[in-house]
C-alpha cells in the first residue's frame, strides 16, 4: 500500500499562501499592484476550455485578477503574435498564459518565444543554466514541492524522468539535478525503457501515453509521480497504470487530484512573483 500524495490538498495550501502574498502586495503598493493573469485560449477544445475555466477560478481564489481572451480556431499566427506583442507592451498586464495546444497552423515554438520572459507565467522561458529558479516551469516546480511535502529528499537518489518535452521533461531533469539527484531521462526512442524505470528510486512520468508504466517496470518501494493526463472514453487516466503500480510503490500521485492541481497552483505562485517584480520595478 502506497502513501497517496494528495496534490489537491497541497495545492489548497499553496493557493492560501499566494492569496496571503497577493493581499500583502496590495496592502503595500495599492490595488494597481494586484497580480493579474491574461489567459489566451485559441479554439474551442473542450479540455483546454475547462482548464482555462479552472485556472480562472484558481486566480480568483488567490487574489489574482484573471482576464480571458478567447479567439477562434481560425485565428492566424500573425494575429495571435500581434496580440502577444500588445500584451507584452501593456504595463497593466502582469502575466500571460497561452493555453496549449494551439491549432496546428500556429507554431507553438514561435508563440512561446514571443511571450516576454517577465510575463511568462508558465515559466517556459526559465533559464536552465543557473540555479536561479525564481520563476520556474510550473509542473517541475509543482513536482518538487510535492516531493518535499511528502518528505522525499532527492539528493543522491536515482530519479528517472520519462518524457523530454520542453515544458515538463527537460526542466524536470534540471530541477532534479539542481537538487543533487542522479538523473536518467528516457523518451520515445529509449531502448529497454523498463530496464531504466526499474532502477528508479523516484520515477517521474510525463510521456503522454495512457498507462504506459506497469507494475513490472517499477522497483519495489519506488516513489512514483504521474504527470500524465490522458482521456479514455472521457475519463482521465494517467501515464501510470495506477491499480497495478500502487501496491508496489511506497508513494504515488493519483490522476486526477495529483500533479494537475499542483501545476495550476504553481501558475499562481509565478503570477505573484511576476507581480512582485513589477511592483518593485515601478518603485
Ligand atoms: N496545456 C496543458 N498544460 C499546460 C500548461 O501547463 N500550460 C499551458 N499554457 N498550456 C497547457
Amino acid at each position: 500500500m502506497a502513501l497517496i500524495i494528495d496534490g489537491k490538498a497541497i495545492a489548497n495550501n499553496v493557493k492560501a499562501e499566494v492569496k496571503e502574498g497577493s493581499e500583502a502586495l496590495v496592502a503595500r503598493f495599492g490595488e494597481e499592484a494586484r497580480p493579474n493573469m491574461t489567459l489566451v485560449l485559441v479554439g474551442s477544445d473542450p479540455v483546454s476550455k475547462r482548464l482555462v475555466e479552472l485556472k480562472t477560478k484558481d486566480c480568483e481564489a488567490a487574489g489574482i485578477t484573471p482576464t480571458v481572451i478567447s479567439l477562434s480556431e481560425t485565428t492566424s499566427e500573425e494575429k495571435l503574435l500581434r496580440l502577444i506583442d500588445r500584451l507584452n507592451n501593456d504595463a497593466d498586464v502582469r502575466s500571460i498564459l497561452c493555453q496549449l495546444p494551439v491549432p496546428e497552423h500556429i507554431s507553438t515554438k514561435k508563440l512561446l518565444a514571443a511571450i516576454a520572459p517577465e510575463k511568462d507565467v508558465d515559466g517556459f522561458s526559465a533559464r536552465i543554466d543557473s540555479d536561479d529558479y525564481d520563476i520556474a516551469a510550473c509542473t517541475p516546480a509543482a513536482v518538487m514541492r510535492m516531493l518535499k511535502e511528502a518528505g522525499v529528499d532527492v539528493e543522491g537518489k536515482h530519479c528517472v524522468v520519462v518524457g523530454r518535452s520542453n515544458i515538463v521533461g527537460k526542466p524536470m531533469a534540471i530541477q532534479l539535478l539542481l537538487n543533487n539527484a542522479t538523473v536518467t531521462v528516457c523518451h520515445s526512442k529509449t531502448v529497454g525503457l523498463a530496464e531504466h524505470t526499474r532502477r528508479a528510486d523516484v520515477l517521474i512520468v510525463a510521456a503522454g501515453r495512457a498507462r504506459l508504466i506497469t507494475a513490472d517496470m517499477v522497483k519495489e518501494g519506488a516513489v512514483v509521480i504521474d504527470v500524465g493526463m490522458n482521456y479514455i472514453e472521457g475519463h482521465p487516466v494517467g501515464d501510470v497504470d495506477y491499480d497495478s503500480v500502487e501496491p508496489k510503490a511506497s508513494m504515488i500521485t493519483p490522476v486526477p487530484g495529483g500533479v494537475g492541481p499542483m501545476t495550476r497552483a504553481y501558475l499562481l505562485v509565478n503570477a505573484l512573483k511576476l507581480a512582485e517584480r513589477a511592483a518593485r520595478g515601478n518603485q
Side-chain angles (χ1 to χ4, degrees):
M1 276 281 285
L3 175 105
I4 294 161
I5 305 176
D6 185 345
K8 226 170 165 177
I10 306 169
N12 282 337
N13 294 341
V14 175
K15 273 185 226 172
E17 289 164 17
V18 174
K19 168 89 174 152
E20 218 170 274
S22 300
E23 298 312 331
L25 193 65
V26 170
R28 178 153 178 223
F29 294 101
E31 193 56 41
E32 63 276 15
R34 180 175 293 285
N36 63 38
M37 193 188 299
T38 299
L39 302 110
V40 180
L41 175 65
V42 187
S44 52
D45 173 67
V47 173
S48 291
K49 241 173 130 171
R50 177 73 188 133
L51 283 171
V52 167
E53 273 168 25
L54 290 170
K55 289 172 184 179
T56 305
K57 280 201 187 117
D58 288 343
C59 281
E60 283 160 354
I64 296 168
T65 309
T67 302
V68 177
I69 300 177
S70 288
L71 302 172
S72 81
E73 186 83 26
T74 55
T75 303
S76 69
E77 183 181 275
E78 194 193 347
K79 188 173 170 198
L80 181 59
L81 293 179
R82 269 205 308 274
L83 169 69
I84 299 295
D85 189 50
R86 181 171 71 68
L87 296 172
N88 282 342
N89 289 299
D90 183 340
D92 293 333
V93 173
R94 303 269 182 255
S95 68
I96 304 166
L97 178 144
C98 195
Q99 185 64 29
L100 301 175
V102 285
E104 273 186 11
H105 64 275
I106 295 169
S107 155
T108 303
K109 201 170 172 182
K110 265 196 211 167
L111 171 63
L112 297 182
I115 298 173
E118 65 273 17
K119 298 195 179 187
D120 169 22
V121 74
D122 274 305
F124 291 159
S125 50
R127 290 167 60 95
I128 60 162
D129 59 346
S130 89
D131 55 7
D132 173 15
Y133 265 98
D134 185 19
I135 302 294
C138 289
T139 300
V143 170
M144 294 312 297
R145 173 75 180 257
M146 292 172 91
L147 290 171
K148 194 171 167 206
E149 295 273 339
V152 178
D153 181 1
V154 297
E155 181 161 313
K157 302 242 167 69
H158 185 195
C159 298
V160 176
V161 179
V162 183
R164 57 171 158 178
S165 70
N166 289 331
I167 66 178
V168 184
K170 284 182 202 151
M172 186 75 249
I174 300 287
Q175 291 203 24
L176 291 164
L177 282 174
L178 291 170
N179 285 277
N180 300 320
T182 299
V183 182
T184 298
V185 182
C186 300
H187 46 80
S188 51
K189 300 280 190 285
T190 296
V191 175
L193 176 64
E195 285 163 36
H196 295 287
T197 58
R198 270 198 290 269
R199 284 205 293 271
D201 301 312
V202 179
L203 178 61
I204 300 172
V205 193
R209 283 180 54 192
R211 300 190 184 123
L212 171 70
I213 304 296
T214 45
D216 57 306
M217 300 169 79
V218 177
K219 179 165 80 176
E220 192 76 46
V223 174
V224 180
I225 308 286
D226 189 351
V227 181
M229 178 56 91
N230 315 283
Y231 287 87
I232 293 183
E233 290 165 4
H235 295 287
V237 174
D239 288 357
V240 174
D241 181 27
Y242 186 90
D243 290 344
S244 75
V245 171
E246 184 270 332
K248 219 169 169 189
S250 62
M251 298 185 193
I252 192 165
T253 61
V255 175
V259 177
M262 281 297 288
T263 292
R264 295 204 313 274
Y266 266 77
L267 271 181
L268 307 174
V269 171
N270 280 353
L272 173 61
K273 283 180 180 169
L274 293 172
E276 284 172 344
R277 272 193 193 172
R280 281 198 303 269
N282 291 338
Q283 251 187 326

